[in-house]
């Protein structure tokens, strides 16, 4: 068991003009699962590989259980990693794959047997121990990769997009299994993914990364309800948050979207300034007679019936930007209708159009 | 998915492969049949008369101490060449796999010896190691090592093995490098995380995964040592020194018995045996490669 400290870590590849990782600080508590989330090329895998010892750390320090591990070989860091392509040894059986690290560590045969057997049962692999990786399905390979990590009883688990090679159904299933397993074993884990659903459901905390920087670190729901920047707001949540250009009224009590006005507390102190208004599709609701001061009219272009929800595509005040609203239940609408909606004002976000920072 | 080209005319495909078939028939099948038929005859040196002797040529060969000695020489020579050239090539390939800067130049330079003709390679090594004028022989003499390929059979064998292996290293290097590069990097990383140091990683992960390449090269190198090293032997030692010749490998004996001693029947029988050996090796190769390899 151990905490992981990432302390002002930077990475610059030889010959590169700028840093790939531009100074990241984060502490992963003992037993916590931190998900590093971001688009491809944001540096999340690089950061994970630096913790693993597969990439050199240019600046800053990585500490595992308080010890600086910058100069330690991967094998001396007491970590285990699950790779995106599983990286199973193709010439070894499932048993051989799981036992490899233990054999190298020089454990007695009985102990190796016991540990592999235990992990195999945990992962329902006990009937497959003699198979070669090529005889396994994708989900089984994934479990073997997990098993290989578990048997070593490491202090830290590293996951590098472990589910991205699986089909959608299996991914959901494995996601739950990983979560359950990590809870049960209580091993500090770092998990890299570009899938925000995976991140939301798995992580105790998320680190949303963009262009080599940590845009925001926090619990999934905190990030969902208080995104620190436009980038985070757009990346977390599906369908993505709507962004509309607007302006705060001169008395700082409301924002204007085109000709429509929405009253919000968040406008306080921002009198007259231009803002980017962010509102999630699920935070619209059908307008009733009250709340007239938080009402907008949506001009419907297209609707998608999902059964449980109805997704409405349209424009507010013909402002040009497409707005999505996700409303519960089945609604019968046609293109050209005008749909009066209420905005949940606590869920309205105002961003600085220049810096992208959340103003609240 | 399989894509097949379908010809509208039935004769066109045959016409297209005709040149290849003609070449094979004229330059490979016909001489091979000639050799097989000659192996059943005893012919006088002037080609004036020939007797059909059934398998007597073969019987005599296997009773001939010189021939059996030549077989043994060939075994030592070909295994020596295969082991040396593959070993060195594997070391080079492993190192080249890590080179990032200047990798292309490095690889190109390593490939050059392959372009040198066997006879030229032989002469090159002979000049360095000749007892009278060779610079390496001279240097060895200076430090007290008596190196003479004209009198010492082991010295001669060592030199032809080195010369033959040297030429083959490039070829093996290319295959080993390709083999190494096809091993996913994440496997090596996974092994590193599992606690294996570089040596352990090589022997437990890399080498087993290279085994298809290694086996393929082993067959290729043995075939090379059996057949393509004639020029090297001819130019460096002429099969000698001594009698039976210390470097008189089978393919050289075919030549010296047939074209120098003009014992055509025996020479033909020897080539038929060589043919059988190479066919066997090829069959083994194909069988194995079809069956295994795909991870």
């Amino acid at each position: 068991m151990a905490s992981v400290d990432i302390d002002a870590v930077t990475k610059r590849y030889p010959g590169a003009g700028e840093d790939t990782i531009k100074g990241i600080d984060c502490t992963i508590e003992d037993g916590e699962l931190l998900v590093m989330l971001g688009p491809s090329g944001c540096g999340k895998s690089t950061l994970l590989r630096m913790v693993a010892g597969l990439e050199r750390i240019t600046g800053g320090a990585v500490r595992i259980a308080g010890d600086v591990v910058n100069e330690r070989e991967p094998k001396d860091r007491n970590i285990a990693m699950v790779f995106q392509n599983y990286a199973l040894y193709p010439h070894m059986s499932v048993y051989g794959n799981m036992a490899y690290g233990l054999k190298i560590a020089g454990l007695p045969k009985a102990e190796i047997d016991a540990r592999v057997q235990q992990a195999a049962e945990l992962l329902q692999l006990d009937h497959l121990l003699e198979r070669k990786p090529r005889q396994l399905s994708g989900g089984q390979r994934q479990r073997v990769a997990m098993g290989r990590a578990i048997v070593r009883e490491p202090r830290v688990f590293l996951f590098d997009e472990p589910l991205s090679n699986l089909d959608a159904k299996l991914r959901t299933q494995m996601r739950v299994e990983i979560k359950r397993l990590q809870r049960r074993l209580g091993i500090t884990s770092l998990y890299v993914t570009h899938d925000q659903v995976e991140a939301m459901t798995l992580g105790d905390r998320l680190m949303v990364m963009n262009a080599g920087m940590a845009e925001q670190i926090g619990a999934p729901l905190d990030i969902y309800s208080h995104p620190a920047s436009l980038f985070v707001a757009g990346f977390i949540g599906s369908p993505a948050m709507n962004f509309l250009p607007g302006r705060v009224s001169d008395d700082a009590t409301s924002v204007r979207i085109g000709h429509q006005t929405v009253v919000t507390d968040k406008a306080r102190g921002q009198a007259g300034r231009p803002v980017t208004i962010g509102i999630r599709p699920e935070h619209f609701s059908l307008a009733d007679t009250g709340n007239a001061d938080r009402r907008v009219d949506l001009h419907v272009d297209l609707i998608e019936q999902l059964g449980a929800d109805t997704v409405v595509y349209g424009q507010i005040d013909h402002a040009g930007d497409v707005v999505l609203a996700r409303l519960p239940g089945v609604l019968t609408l046609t293109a050209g209708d005008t749909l009066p909606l209420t905005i949940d004002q606590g869920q309205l976000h105002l961003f600085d159009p220049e810096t992208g920072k959340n103003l609240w | 998915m399989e894509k097949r080209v379908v010809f509208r005319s039935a004769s066109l495909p045959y016409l297209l492969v005709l040149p290849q078939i003609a070449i094979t028939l004229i330059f490979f099948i016909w001489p091979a049949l000639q050799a097989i038929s000659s192996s059943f005859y005893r012919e006088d040196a002037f080609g004036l008369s020939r007797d059909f002797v059934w398998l007597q040529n073969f019987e005599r060969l296997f009773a001939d101490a010189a021939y059996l000695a030549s077989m043994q020489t060939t075994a030592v020579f070909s295994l020596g060449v295969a082991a040396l050239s593959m070993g060195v090539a594997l070391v080079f390939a492993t190192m080249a796999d890590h080179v990032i800067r200047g990798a292309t130049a490095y690889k190109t330079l390593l490939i050059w010896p392959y372009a040198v003709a066997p006879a030229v390679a032989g002469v090159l090594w002979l000049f360095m190691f000749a007892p009278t004028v060779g610079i390496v022989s001279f240097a060895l003499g200076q430090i007290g090592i008596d190196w003479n390929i004209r009198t010492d059979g082991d010295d001669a064998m060592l030199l032809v093995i080195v010369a033959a292996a040297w030429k083959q290293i490039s070829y093996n290097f290319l295959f080993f490098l390709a083999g190494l590069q096809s091993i996913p990097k994440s496997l090596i990383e996974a092994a590193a995380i599992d606690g294996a140091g570089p040596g352990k990683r090589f022997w437990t992960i890399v080498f087993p995964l290279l085994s298809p390449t290694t086996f393929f090269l082993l067959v290729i190198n043995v075939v090379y040592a059996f057949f393509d090293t004639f020029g090297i032997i001819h130019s460096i030692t002429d099969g000698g020194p001594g009698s039976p010749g210390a470097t008189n490998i089978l393919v050289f004996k075919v030549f010296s018995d047939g074209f120098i001693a003009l014992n055509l029947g025996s020479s033909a029988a020897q080539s038929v045996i060589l043919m059988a050996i190479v066919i066997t090796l090829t069959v083994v190769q194909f069988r194995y490669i079809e069956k295994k390899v795909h991870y």
Side-chain angles (χ1 to χ4, degrees):
Chain A
M1 300 302 109
S3 63
V4 177
D5 267 313
I6 297 169
D7 187 2
V9 165
T10 62
K11 173 74 186 180
R12 180 182 292 230
Y13 285 100
E18 58 169 351
D19 289 352
T20 308
I21 302 286
K22 295 165 186 147
I24 288 183
D25 287 291
C26 184
T27 299
I28 301 101
E29 302 298 339
D30 190 8
E32 184 185 26
L33 196 160
L34 178 91
V35 174
M36 301 193 276
L37 175 70
S40 54
C42 71
K44 56 192 191 299
S45 281
T46 307
L47 184 59
L48 188 80
R49 292 167 59 83
M50 286 197 284
V51 175
L54 300 172
E55 297 277 358
R56 285 198 68 79
I57 297 165
T58 312
V62 170
R63 277 185 287 272
I64 297 177
D67 303 325
V68 176
V69 296
N70 286 29
E71 298 303 321
R72 280 199 208 163
E73 290 291 313
K75 67 187 170 82
D76 300 323
R77 297 187 181 200
N78 204 354
I79 47 152
M81 184 156 165
V82 178
F83 290 82
Q84 181 172 5
N85 63 0
Y86 318 135
L88 300 179
Y89 311 125
H91 56 300
M92 297 182 197
S93 64
V94 170
Y95 181 93
N97 267 280
M98 297 213 277
Y100 182 74
L102 303 178
K103 278 184 190 157
I104 286 175
L107 263 60
K109 183 137 187 15
E111 163 99 30
I112 295 177
D113 265 346
R115 283 215 212 169
V116 171
Q117 203 58 46
Q118 196 189 357
E121 273 164 34
L122 192 65
L123 294 161
Q124 294 146 34
L125 288 168
D126 26 352
H127 58 295
L128 300 171
L129 285 175
E130 297 311 312
R131 299 256 185 103
K132 289 279 172 64
R134 66 172 176 278
Q135 299 165 300
L136 301 177
S137 69
Q140 288 167 337
R141 286 180 201 186
Q142 221 285 320
R143 290 214 293 273
V144 176
M146 296 274 300
R148 189 171 64 182
I150 289 171
V151 289
R152 295 189 39 233
E153 298 176 3
R155 293 188 301 186
V156 181
F157 270 151
L158 305 173
F159 297 90
D160 189 4
E161 310 214 15
L163 303 182
S164 57
N165 284 359
L166 301 176
D167 62 54
K169 193 178 162 200
L170 208 51
R171 201 179 307 161
T172 314
Q173 194 183 325
M174 287 305 297
R175 197 170 74 205
V176 177
E177 271 185 54
I178 289 181
K179 175 109 175 165
R180 195 175 290 146
L181 208 61
Q182 196 268 341
R183 277 287 140 75
R184 184 162 156 189
L185 300 171
I187 295 178
T188 314
S189 303
L190 276 76
Y191 189 108
V192 162
T193 182
H194 61 263
D195 180 336
Q196 54 104 6
V197 178
E198 220 169 280
M200 292 292 289
T201 52
L202 268 176
D204 295 319
R205 280 192 304 157
L206 307 188
M207 178 196 288
V208 183
M209 292 180 66
N210 182 27
M213 288 192 286
E215 288 262 342
Q216 191 173 5
I217 301 173
L221 284 180
D222 288 346
I223 292 185
Y224 174 84
S225 37
H226 305 290
S229 64
L230 277 173
F231 176 83
V232 176
F235 203 78
I236 299 281
S238 175
M241 187 185 275
N242 298 300
F243 296 120
L244 295 162
R247 177 177 287 278
V248 177
S249 63
D250 291 337
D251 59 359
T253 56
S254 62
V255 285
R256 293 185 65 80
I257 308 167
H259 297 296
Q260 306 194 32
T261 305
V262 178
V263 171
T264 172
D265 294 343
K266 291 184 176 167
R268 207 180 302 145
Q270 309 288 350
R273 75 174 292 167
V275 288
T276 298
I277 299 161
I279 176 81
R280 295 195 184 278
E282 54 269 39
H283 293 145
F284 289 106
S285 50
L286 287 175
D288 43 35
T289 42
N291 299 330
D293 54 353
R294 288 189 281 114
R295 228 179 92 164
V296 289
D297 288 327
L298 186 68
H299 304 283
V300 178
D301 283 335
L302 183 80
I303 59 166
E304 285 177 342
Q305 298 285 5
L306 303 180
D309 299 314
T310 304
V311 179
V312 184
Y313 292 69
Q315 292 177 352
I316 290 176
D317 203 56
H318 301 288
D321 297 274
V322 176
V323 172
L324 271 74
R326 183 179 184 136
L327 302 161
V330 177
L331 296 177
T332 27
L333 292 166
T334 44
D337 287 354
T338 298
L339 184 67
L341 295 170
T342 305
I343 293 173
D344 184 346
Q345 73 131 335
Q347 305 288 3
L348 187 83
H349 302 282
L350 301 183
F351 298 96
D352 185 329
E354 301 288 315
T355 64
K357 295 288 174 225
N358 197 331
L359 291 170
W360 187 243
Chain B
M1 257 211 261
E2 197 178 7
K3 280 190 182 168
R4 277 168 187 262
V5 179
V6 179
F7 291 100
R8 244 170 289 165
S9 140
S11 54
L12 183 60
Y14 295 100
L15 203 64
L16 291 175
V17 294
L18 189 65
Q20 178 68 56
I21 289 178
I23 288 172
T24 311
L25 283 175
I26 294 168
F27 292 102
F28 296 94
I29 307 294
W30 186 20
L33 291 175
Q34 282 283 315
I36 292 172
S37 92
S38 299
S39 71
F40 292 110
Y41 287 92
R42 184 170 308 146
E43 207 165 332
D44 72 80
F46 305 101
L48 298 174
S49 64
R50 57 193 331 216
D51 297 323
F52 189 75
V53 294
W54 289 105
L55 294 172
Q56 233 180 65
N57 284 326
F58 292 94
E59 285 163 20
R60 281 187 182 212
L61 274 179
F62 287 108
D64 180 4
Y67 187 70
L68 298 178
S70 172
M71 268 196 166
Q72 207 182 337
T73 307
T74 310
V76 171
F77 176 73
S78 55
L79 289 180
V81 170
L84 183 63
S85 63
M86 286 170 70
V88 174
L90 184 54
V91 172
F92 282 175
T94 315
M95 292 194 293
D97 199 25
H98 294 293
V99 174
I100 296 163
R101 205 168 298 174
T104 322
Y106 181 58
K107 284 175 213 163
T108 312
L109 287 176
L110 267 172
I111 288 156
W112 279 3
Y114 194 59
V116 178
V120 177
V123 170
L124 195 77
W125 285 86
L126 181 61
F127 267 126
M128 290 193 292
F129 284 89
T132 47
V133 296
I135 186 151
V136 181
S137 308
F138 177 74
L140 288 171
Q142 293 291 309
I143 58 168
I145 297 171
D146 186 18
W147 177 283
N148 193 333
I149 60 161
R150 292 275 178 262
T151 56
D152 187 316
D154 292 339
D155 287 0
M157 179 57 101
L158 199 57
L159 182 60
V160 289
I161 287 177
V162 169
W166 173 74
K167 251 190 66 58
Q168 195 66 5
I169 286 171
S170 334
Y171 183 88
N172 296 343
F173 166 78
L174 281 183
F175 275 84
F176 273 133
L177 187 63
L180 285 172
Q181 286 177 341
S182 72
I183 296 175
K185 243 192 154 44
S186 60
L187 282 184
I188 311 297
E189 292 174 348
I193 288 176
D194 267 345
K200 194 100 190 167
R201 292 202 290 269
F202 182 81
W203 290 113
T204 57
I205 308 290
V206 176
F207 194 69
L209 292 179
L210 272 183
S211 64
T213 310
T214 310
F215 181 77
F216 165 79
L217 285 179
L218 182 67
V219 175
I220 294 287
N221 279 274
V222 168
V223 170
Y224 161 80
F226 261 67
F227 300 97
D228 294 343
T229 48
F230 171 81
I232 289 172
I233 303 281
H234 191 40
S235 56
I236 298 183
T237 63
D238 243 339
S243 172
T247 58
N248 195 9
I249 62 169
L250 289 172
V251 71
F252 193 79
K253 195 167 158 55
V254 169
F255 162 78
S256 57
D257 285 3
F259 293 90
I260 311 285
L262 290 177
N263 187 352
L264 296 178
S266 172
S267 175
Q270 290 177 37
S271 11
V272 170
I273 293 170
L274 281 178
M275 242 190 282
I277 293 175
V278 77
I279 287 170
T280 314
L281 282 172
T282 312
V283 168
V284 168
Q285 169 95 299
F286 282 161
R287 275 285 156 79
Y288 182 85
I289 285 195
E290 264 169 37
K291 235 192 276 170
K292 274 205 51 127
V293 187
H294 300 292
Y295 285 121

